[in-house]
Amino acid sequence: MRVMIVGQKWMGAATLHAVAAAGHEVVRAAAPFCAGEEYDRLYAAALQRGIPAIHVGQRLSASDVPAAVDVIVAAHAHTFIAPDARAKAKHGAIGYHPSLLPRHRGRDAVRWTIHMGDPVAGGTVYQMDDGADTGPIICQDWCHVRAGDTPEFLWRRDLGPMGIRLILQALEMLESGKAILRPQDEAPATWEPAFRKAKLSEAPPAPKNDSG
């Protein structure tokens, strides 16, 4: 499939390498601008492979998406992928969120998983919509939270690698026509704000699709 990757840091770069190694064609990468002379890791990985790369801010528009894209993949993207951008791709946009959605919607899902003492964590690849981690689920997996885990340990040991695997699984399902998009159940849904930056009593933010 022809894939555009939107994201940053390790997750963005690792996703690009894995998607390309799986035989998909990465046609463009979009990453945030980094101050100074250093490129973001996703941006640099794209340049190293000769893949066109752009800098993107808080919003990805249709003009940023090349023609004939099958799917937009969000990998640690803090960029709103606008409806016109999603509509330009055959399968829209999919993103990885490091929680068992609909639990722990929001940017700091791993930190809240540890903070709330959850015995089980997980990851979800879902089709993005205008909400904050609210789109229909394509695939999920889970893992145990071990005694002494920190958000960093849990991410590096389980949830980061799980995200790469689930993204590849979702692409295979979409390509084969076997993907079944399952709406999220709102009854058990939770949303948490940025960790230690807002009170839990605050209302959720304006609708926004956000990945991990």
Side-chain angles (χ1 to χ4, degrees), residues 84-188:
D84 61 351
R86 302 196 305 268
K88 199 169 178 180
K90 179 180 178 181
H91 297 290
I94 65 172
Y96 172 67
H97 190 72
S99 80
L100 287 169
L101 289 175
R103 185 165 174 80
H104 297 313
R105 294 170 177 169
R107 288 191 178 188
D108 282 339
V110 184
R111 291 189 179 278
W112 285 108
T113 295
I114 297 295
H115 181 72
M116 292 183 174
D118 291 359
V120 170
T124 306
V125 171
Y126 65 103
Q127 188 178 60
M128 292 181 150
D129 57 15
D130 286 342
D133 307 318
T134 57
I137 292 167
I138 301 174
C139 53
Q140 287 182 309
D141 199 1
W142 67 277
C143 62
H144 289 292
V145 179
R146 304 178 191 178
D149 267 348
T150 65
E152 293 76 16
F153 287 166
L154 183 58
W155 170 258
R156 292 172 185 169
R157 186 188 66 236
D158 291 313
L159 297 181
M162 180 186 295
I164 304 297
R165 177 168 48 80
L166 286 177
I167 286 171
L168 294 180
Q169 179 181 337
L171 290 178
E172 181 180 352
M173 294 168 69
L174 290 170
E175 186 174 32
S176 65
K178 295 181 180 178
I180 298 175
L181 277 61
R182 176 168 53 90
Q184 293 188 36
D185 183 356
E186 291 299 317

Side-chain angles (χ1 to χ4, degrees), residues 12-14 16-17 29 39-51 53:
L16 183 147
H17 292 312
Y39 290 129
D40 172 83
R41 291 179 67 174
L42 169 59
Y43 194 93
L47 294 183
Q48 290 167 1
R49 285 180 169 267
I51 297 170

Side-chain angles (χ1 to χ4, degrees), residues 5-70:
I5 297 177
V6 184
Q8 61 180 324
K9 300 182 179 179
W10 172 85
M11 185 68 184
T15 298
L16 183 147
H17 292 312
V19 168
H24 302 289
E25 181 184 1
V26 181
V27 296
R28 180 172 293 177
F33 175 77
C34 293
E37 298 181 357
E38 293 187 1
Y39 290 129
D40 172 83
R41 291 179 67 174
L42 169 59
Y43 194 93
L47 294 183
Q48 290 167 1
R49 285 180 169 267
I51 297 170
I54 62 171
H55 288 121
V56 66
Q58 295 184 346
R59 184 182 182 90
L60 186 86
S61 300
S63 59
D64 300 315
V65 181
V69 169
D70 290 311

